[in-house]
Amino acid sequence: MRMKKNGVLLLIVAGVFTTSFMSVAAAQDSNRVAAKLTEKLSMEQIMANTDWMGIAPERPYFSQDGKSIYFSRKAVGSEIRDLYKVNANGGAAQKLSAAEVVVAESDQKVTSPDRTQTVWLRNGNLFLLKDGKRQQLTRTGEMSGLLGFVGNDQIAMRNEGKVILFNLRSGEQSMLVNIKNDDDPLVKIETPDYLTAQQTRLFDIIKKRDADKKELETRQRELASQTASAPMPVYLGKGREFRSFSVSPDGKYVLVGTVAPRRDSRNDKMPHYVSSDGYVKIEDVRSKVGTEPDSSEQIFVVDVSANKAIKLKLDQLSGINEDPLLVLKTDAAKRLGKPAPKAVSPRAVYINFRGIRWSASGQQLAFCLFSADNKDRWILKMDLSAADKSKWVLAHRLTDQAWVNDGSFNEFAWSPDGKALWYLSEESGFSQLYVQRDGKDVALTNGRFEVNSVQPTHDGKWFYYRANKKHPGIHEVYRVSADGKRDEVLTDMNGGMDFELAPTEDKLLLTHSTTTRQPDLFVQASTPGAKAVRLTESTSKEFAQIDWIKPEIIAVPSKHGAAPIYSRVYRDNKTPSDERKPAVMFVHGAGYLQAAHHGWSTYFREMMFHNLLVQQGYVVIDMDYRASAGYGRDWRNAIYQRMGTPELEDYEDGLDWLVDNANVDRNRVGIYGGSYGGFMTFMALFKTDKFAAGAALRPVADWAHYNHGYTSNILNTPDVDPDAYARSSPIEFAAGLKRPLLICSGILDDNVFFQDSVRMVQKLIELKNPNFELAVYPIEPHGFREADSWLDEYRRIYKLMERDVKGRK
């Protein structure tokens, strides 16, 4: 189907999954058209609706019996996701009907300790799988808050602070515990305020009613203790809200974390100029770094049988009373003429996302704490069979003068017997797997590679994991024995790789990709030497028939004392020429991302654009600058307090490599990128004159305007470390712009606000600098959604490179 929209030819092609799946694709032929295979790629082709490339499977998972695999797939011409099912031994993937979807197993299912029953929620209804038979247990559409099994026959559901048990045998529902963020009405206020004391002193009726209320509360508690009625509330104190919540497998304990509401934060505003009703809509969006006060999480163990909450004391936690930012705070205060600050003691802490683990018996508890200043991670463990339910033991502390990664490499859990604790740690410089037993820590893996996605077997004898042992950009699946004596490689596919161990533990579900082919699903046995069987074929024929350049993965030597900088290089090696070529340097975004790997990139549009540039005579390089994922702790933390400096050094080394090894003209090199790549484009053009032109897409102009979670890791906060923000924010260096700059920004960007680009433009106007252009996209967020917008943006980038890089004399 040829669709013409705003004069742009969109070529839309449906994705295809397997040979037996061709019938589905064939049925869609009337609604699609093949992309033309031309000698030269066109911008209209590569920036068209992505359906023409084929549609990859998403969120795959095993059925509980390990015989089938479910996955989602975007519908052709729509953003709706359909659910598919395919036999684990191969064959045709079947799209499930609406009736089949509403009863299908979920990827969020939970299994009983004896592994005989599995439950999941779908569309607010509870389902049970037992003895191979599926049963719908509720039809209200209102079930939510699935916590997991309590014993083998009860499911715990959470509603705020209430935990409701659903009996799978009888269908009976009962309340396990009722936890409230409120003051206990029976607890006397020791120091009432003046007005409260005056009321009870002056008016006997107030005094009597207070006494009656307490008497009634006491009677209700007495009755509740003698009957099977709902338990009385457990009070944690007023003025807090729930943050962490987990129930032990035996139902005897609940771990609860509460924090103070964020009342003092100030969110920014985002205007929608192109709205459905023609009026400007103002949307509240995120706050900015350092504007939300740290709220330390208070942690309680609730003893269900005693109906009592025990608050854990963390004041003796190793390092909790040390303020690693005190020197920076003191220096900042001195320069502002303010009094010297006091050390924060104890420091604010919080439980990491999914950072609570119980042993199978429910008697052993471990939880992972992070400091709000990003410098420490602690794993604490508790033996709840002991008399003192408030006693904890420090199992492990990971500390870093820069920051501890709270988004990756924090997996941990108990062994099946509850006697050992395994965890990931970057203490060696790279994420490795450790086991702690009898107070001794043993490294099960060791090397200059990263371990993640750890999946232990039910018997605790093996740990399956993903690692980049062969090469920083090649991930494979391995397994190591619990004693560390056997470490075995399971896959050898040389590309991008994610995996899931089947519930039956006899198979691996693999999601594999290459640099020029989208992710597809494979299955293989979970033992060494097994062969992977392909289940899907997501790349369309039209895309596969194009002779895409497979980028070279090269290691650029560093002249700045860093390790080699792994990079993707796109160039034409078929038609050698003595003439020096123009080059384009691409800067990937951040968060924590790797680009120079052997798998499919989320920057697939850029990959196609780079192929187009090569056809036009360019060489292109995409570098894993310092701070990129895949290279260990020190590579990531190299940008601490100085964002934009090590990365720019790496790109300068990359430029030298292009000149020395790829026949590139040093004076004809452009640079572009989005988000962090836009930030780096600013820095490259503002701080050096080595680049002929640059395109900054959705760029960060001032880190003081970015979010707290990401920025405070690297630069602390503006009030604590103003120098770090000054040396890291492009707007401080805008006076250095001498080359042509294109800025592209979406007005509806709720990640890097459009305000960043507006402030940068105003700064350049005030500097009377004519070397910039601004392209605005009124309906686009951070990642563009419309093909028209992608086309417009990349046409502008291409025009910039042709005019100011390739055509530069």
Side-chain angles (χ1 to χ4, degrees), residues 142-322:
E142 297 178 349
M143 302 289 281
S144 64
L146 179 61
L147 293 173
F149 271 86
V150 170
N152 288 309
D153 294 311
Q154 294 189 102
I155 287 293
M157 316 287 290
R158 178 190 166 197
N159 181 7
E160 294 297 331
K162 296 178 181 178
V163 177
I164 308 299
L165 296 182
F166 186 99
N167 192 299
L168 298 177
R169 293 181 180 272
S170 65
E172 180 184 61
Q173 296 186 47
S174 59
M175 187 184 296
L176 177 70
V177 69
N178 181 11
I179 305 169
K180 288 190 174 184
N181 284 317
D182 206 345
D183 294 330
D184 189 334
L186 291 185
V187 176
K188 182 180 178 181
I189 301 175
E190 296 298 332
T191 55
D193 58 43
Y194 176 83
L195 292 180
T196 301
Q198 184 190 53
Q199 290 295 91
T200 55
R201 176 173 59 82
L202 293 177
F203 303 107
D204 290 340
I205 189 64
I206 298 293
K207 192 182 303 182
K208 183 177 185 306
R209 287 179 179 176
D210 284 347
D212 289 346
K213 183 178 179 180
K214 289 181 180 179
E215 184 179 11
L216 179 60
E217 181 79 15
T218 302
R219 175 56 62 89
Q220 287 176 335
R221 295 189 184 195
E222 182 182 2
L223 293 174
S225 67
Q226 301 298 318
T227 66
S229 62
M232 292 300 294
V234 176
Y235 296 97
L236 302 183
K238 187 178 288 187
R240 310 281 291 180
E241 57 187 30
F242 294 115
R243 186 181 183 278
S244 304
F245 204 102
S246 183
V247 179
S248 66
D250 58 4
K252 293 182 178 180
Y253 303 98
V254 182
L255 185 71
V256 181
T258 68
V259 292
R262 296 204 180 262
R263 297 191 182 96
D264 298 330
S265 63
R266 180 183 175 188
N267 289 350
D268 216 320
K269 310 290 183 182
M270 184 172 71
H272 295 240
Y273 291 106
V274 182
S275 61
S276 58
D277 62 4
Y279 288 85
V280 176
K281 174 187 173 185
I282 304 297
E283 179 184 354
D284 275 338
V285 286
R286 63 162 173 81
S287 59
K288 297 178 180 180
V289 58
T291 61
E292 296 182 355
D294 293 332
S295 177
S296 192
E297 189 165 357
Q298 293 181 1
I299 303 167
F300 301 83
V301 171
V302 177
D303 187 330
V304 173
S305 61
N307 211 46
K308 178 183 178 183
I310 305 157
K311 185 177 179 181
L312 303 187
K313 295 181 179 180
L314 302 174
D315 55 328
Q316 298 303 310
L317 186 60
S318 176
I320 193 70
N321 294 310
E322 301 166 4

Side-chain angles (χ1 to χ4, degrees), residues 62 74 270 336 359 522 541 546 705 773:
F62 273 109
K74 192 184 84 68
M270 184 172 71
L336 293 173
S359 66
F522 297 77
K541 284 184 177 180
I546 296 175
H705 287 256
E773 302 172 40

Side-chain angles (χ1 to χ4, degrees), residues 359-361 364 414-421 437 458-460:
S359 66
S361 67
Q364 304 298 319
W414 292 97
S415 62
D417 62 7
K419 295 181 179 179
L421 188 72
R437 185 182 289 273
H458 304 316
D459 60 11

Side-chain angles (χ1 to χ4, degrees), residues 743-809:
I743 304 171
C744 297
S745 188
I747 290 179
L748 301 188
D749 192 335
D750 59 359
N751 182 0
V752 179
F753 296 152
F754 180 58
Q755 181 188 23
D756 269 55
S757 294
V758 172
R759 294 178 74 242
M760 180 61 77
V761 166
Q762 179 60 32
K763 183 64 177 177
L764 291 170
I765 289 172
E766 293 184 10
L767 289 167
K768 299 178 176 59
N769 194 317
N771 297 315
F772 72 93
E773 302 172 40
L774 172 66
V776 176
Y777 299 86
I779 63 170
E780 293 294 359
H782 194 61
F784 287 4
R785 295 175 181 171
E786 302 300 325
D788 289 352
S789 301
W790 285 109
L791 177 62
D792 181 90
E793 183 177 54
Y794 275 77
R795 274 178 167 172
R796 293 176 186 275
I797 299 168
Y798 179 68
K799 181 180 178 181
L800 176 79
M801 299 302 171
E802 286 285 279
R803 182 189 67 205
D804 298 308
V805 176
K806 188 177 183 182
R808 188 181 182 202
K809 302 299 183 182

